[in-house]
């Protein structure tokens, strides 16, 4: 359903960008949130909506821009970048399972708040990996939920990338974290498991390799996750090195959109409910701290600059992009630089 790529094809780590597609069968209410930390009023957040002694509690250390799905009844953090250039993306993972045998001693973190916790407290991929390692204290238990604006379970896995050129994918299997940490792990789709994606990618990379005396440059063109993984991987591994930030942004945007699914696409087979239209695409610039949002149903692209956080009207501000009214969705046609258009709002994950 979703695709994420990390364009780190630059030896000096000067022009690093990450792009992702968000796919879903139906439209979802969507907003951008800007979190601006103030030293005299630190943002303290809770890992679960029904707070108790087992809820994970944290204090935000960094500013962030986050794409949220849902509305004031419930929000889920889906995608974003923080002021240290760390980018995080949550993608659907039908194989995820969160229950663990020793979960009673863990601190609970709702999967819909997982991404916000990472962006609030970590400055690098290395730090994220450490927080979810078996040696971490406290041990964190991911709690499942329902995707806001839908009836489907929030079965998700996490990808992270940073300004140092590092990348990782974290899956959850029976409550245990399976972590793939390697700068070469630059493409991610929903399924199969990342271990299987690596295996499939080895086949395709052999087909494209110059060492192969009978190389093949054929590409699967279908909408299935494995097809899209192969396409994105092929193009990402056949790019010239970037020469500027704009070059990297253009590369990432063009590659990830090549792996998108058209609006109103129908698979024609109820056996494949996870093949869905691309609702929106984001591109994050790790170095320049700029975040771009492209709504598939509107022609414009908007961007937000974390370097100009003083333009946000409040410590927590929101820009509504897709709004649900009377069982229909309004996609707002927005263009250009948008720091000035946010409005102050409440922190949806604040300790109450």
């Amino acid at each position: 359903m979703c695709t994420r790529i990390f364009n780190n094809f630059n030896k000096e780590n000067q022009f690093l960008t990450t792009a992702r597609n968000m796919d879903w069968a139906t439209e979802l209410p969507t907003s951008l949130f800007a979190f601006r930390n103030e030293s005299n009023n630190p943002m303290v957040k809770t890992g679960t909506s029904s707070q108790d002694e087992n809820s994970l509690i944290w204090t935000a250390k960094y500013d962030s821009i986050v794409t949220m799905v849902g509305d004031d009844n419930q929000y889920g953090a889906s995608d974003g970048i923080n002021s240290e250039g760390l980018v995080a993306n949550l993608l659907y993972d039908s194989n995820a399972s969160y229950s663990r045998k020793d979960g009673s001693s863990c601190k609970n973190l709702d999967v819909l708040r997982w991404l916000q916790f990472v962006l609030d407290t970590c400055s690098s991929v290395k730090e994220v990996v450490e927080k979810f390692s078996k040696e971490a204290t406290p041990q964190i238990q991911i709690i499942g939920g329902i995707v806001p604006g839908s009836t489907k379970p929030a079965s998700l896995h996490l990808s992270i990338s940073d300004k140092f050129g590092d990348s990782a994918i974290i899956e959850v299997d029976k409550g245990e974290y399976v972590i793939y940490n390697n700068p070469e792990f630059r493409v991610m789709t929903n399924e199969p498991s990342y271990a299987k994606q690596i295996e499939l990618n080895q086949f395709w990379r052999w087909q494209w390799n110059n060492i192969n005396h009978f190389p093949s440059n054929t590409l699967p063109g279908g909408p299935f996750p494995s097809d899209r993984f192969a396409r994105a991987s092929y193009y990402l591994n056949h790019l010239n090195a970037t020469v500027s930030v704009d070059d990297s942004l253009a590369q990432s945007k063009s590659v990830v959109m090549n792996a998108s699914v058209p609006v109103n696409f129908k698979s024609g087979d109820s056996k494949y409910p996870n093949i869905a239209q691309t609702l929106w695409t984001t591109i994050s610039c790790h170095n320049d701290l700029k975040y771009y949002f492209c709504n598939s149903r509107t022609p414009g692209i908007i961007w937000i600059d974390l370097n100009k956080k003083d333009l946000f009207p409040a410590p927590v501000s929101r820009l509504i992009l897709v709004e649900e009214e009377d069982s229909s969705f309004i996609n707002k046609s927005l263009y250009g630089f948008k720091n000035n258009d946010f409005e102050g709002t409440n922190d949806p994950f604040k300790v109450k």
Side-chain angles (χ1 to χ4, degrees):
M1 290 172 54
C2 303
T3 308
R4 167 264 194 183
I5 67 163
F6 176 40
N7 190 359
N8 66 345
F9 192 35
N10 181 274
K11 292 181 180 179
E12 290 78 28
N13 294 332
Q14 292 173 293
F15 317 122
L16 303 181
T17 53
T18 292
R20 72 83 58 95
N21 290 328
M22 169 62 180
D23 305 347
W24 202 253
T26 60
E27 292 188 72
L28 295 172
T30 307
S31 299
L32 292 181
F33 274 72
F35 296 94
R36 184 187 69 206
N37 274 295
E38 297 181 340
S39 57
N40 61 344
N41 186 26
M43 289 187 282
V44 181
K45 304 186 184 185
T46 176
T48 55
S49 56
S50 299
Q51 185 182 335
D52 57 33
E53 66 274 10
N54 292 324
S55 296
L56 180 67
I57 304 295
W58 71 92
T59 300
K61 297 166 61 177
Y62 307 110
D63 308 314
S64 61
I65 298 293
V66 178
T67 299
M68 301 259 195
V69 296
D71 53 30
D72 288 340
N73 294 316
Q74 183 188 31
Y75 282 104
S78 176
D79 185 273
I81 182 173
N82 74 9
S83 50
E84 294 297 304
L86 178 68
V87 172
N89 323 95
L90 278 175
L91 280 72
Y92 203 77
D93 178 13
S94 57
N95 297 312
S97 56
Y98 303 131
S99 178
R100 59 193 292 176
K101 293 180 180 179
D102 59 346
S104 59
S105 62
C106 298
K107 291 297 184 180
N108 295 332
L109 176 61
D110 191 316
V111 69
L112 299 174
R113 304 179 180 213
W114 188 8
L115 181 136
Q116 190 66 56
F117 168 72
V118 165
L119 294 181
D120 281 347
T121 63
C122 300
S123 63
S124 67
V125 168
K126 181 182 178 181
E127 284 190 32
V128 180
V129 170
E130 289 173 351
K131 284 187 183 293
F132 293 95
S133 69
K134 292 182 178 179
E135 294 76 27
T137 303
Q139 283 285 306
I140 298 172
Q141 162 80 55
I142 296 293
I143 304 297
I146 301 297
V147 174
S150 80
T151 58
K152 296 200 69 172
S155 183
L156 306 168
H157 54 175
L158 178 75
S159 71
I160 43 177
S161 46
D162 64 26
K163 63 185 179 184
F164 308 107
D166 202 2
S167 175
I169 289 88
I170 303 179
E171 298 180 335
V172 188
D173 181 20
K174 297 178 181 177
E176 301 294 333
Y177 301 106
V178 184
I179 302 175
Y180 303 89
N181 182 197
N182 191 315
E184 293 299 312
F185 296 159
R186 301 192 291 157
V187 180
M188 172 181 169
T189 54
N190 299 97
E191 49 191 29
S193 68
Y194 203 74
K196 181 61 69 174
Q197 289 188 18
I198 294 171
E199 184 180 328
L200 292 172
N201 198 38
Q202 289 175 338
F203 165 79
W204 285 110
R205 294 190 73 165
W206 166 250
Q207 291 286 0
W208 310 324
N209 199 312
N210 292 331
I211 300 174
N212 181 1
H213 296 297
F214 303 97
S216 171
N217 286 311
T218 57
L219 281 174
F224 293 92
S226 56
D227 296 340
R228 298 162 73 185
F229 185 97
R231 286 206 303 281
S233 182
Y234 174 84
Y235 286 116
L236 196 60
N237 285 281
H238 285 74
L239 297 175
N240 291 318
T242 53
V243 297
S244 67
V245 170
D246 286 344
D247 195 28
S248 182
L249 289 167
Q251 283 186 350
S252 296
K253 180 173 177 285
S254 59
V255 170
V256 79
M257 285 191 165
N258 189 274
S260 65
V261 175
V263 169
N264 294 333
F265 176 83
K266 55 182 181 180
S267 68
D269 195 328
S270 59
K271 291 190 299 182
Y272 308 115
N274 289 342
I275 299 175
Q277 62 188 332
T278 298
L279 298 183
W280 42 261
T281 299
T282 61
I283 310 104
S284 302
C285 183
H286 297 266
N287 309 89
D288 283 1
L289 304 182
K290 292 180 181 176
Y291 186 77
Y292 299 79
F293 187 96
C294 318
N295 186 336
S296 298
R297 292 180 178 271
T298 63
I301 297 176
I302 64 172
W303 68 89
I304 300 90
D305 188 347
L306 263 178
N307 297 296
K308 300 178 179 179
K309 62 181 182 180
D310 291 342
L311 296 177
F312 299 131
V316 181
S317 306
R318 178 180 62 176
L319 177 63
I320 298 174
L321 304 174
V322 183
E323 193 170 17
E324 185 175 10
E325 289 187 4
D326 300 326
S327 299
S328 63
F329 290 89
I330 299 172
N331 289 267
K332 299 181 182 297
S333 292
L334 304 174
Y335 304 83
F337 177 66
K338 287 295 167 187
N339 283 47
N340 294 303
D341 290 5
F342 281 71
E343 296 182 353
T345 189
N346 297 319
D347 187 339
F349 303 147
K350 182 179 180 180
V351 170
K352 298 178 180 178

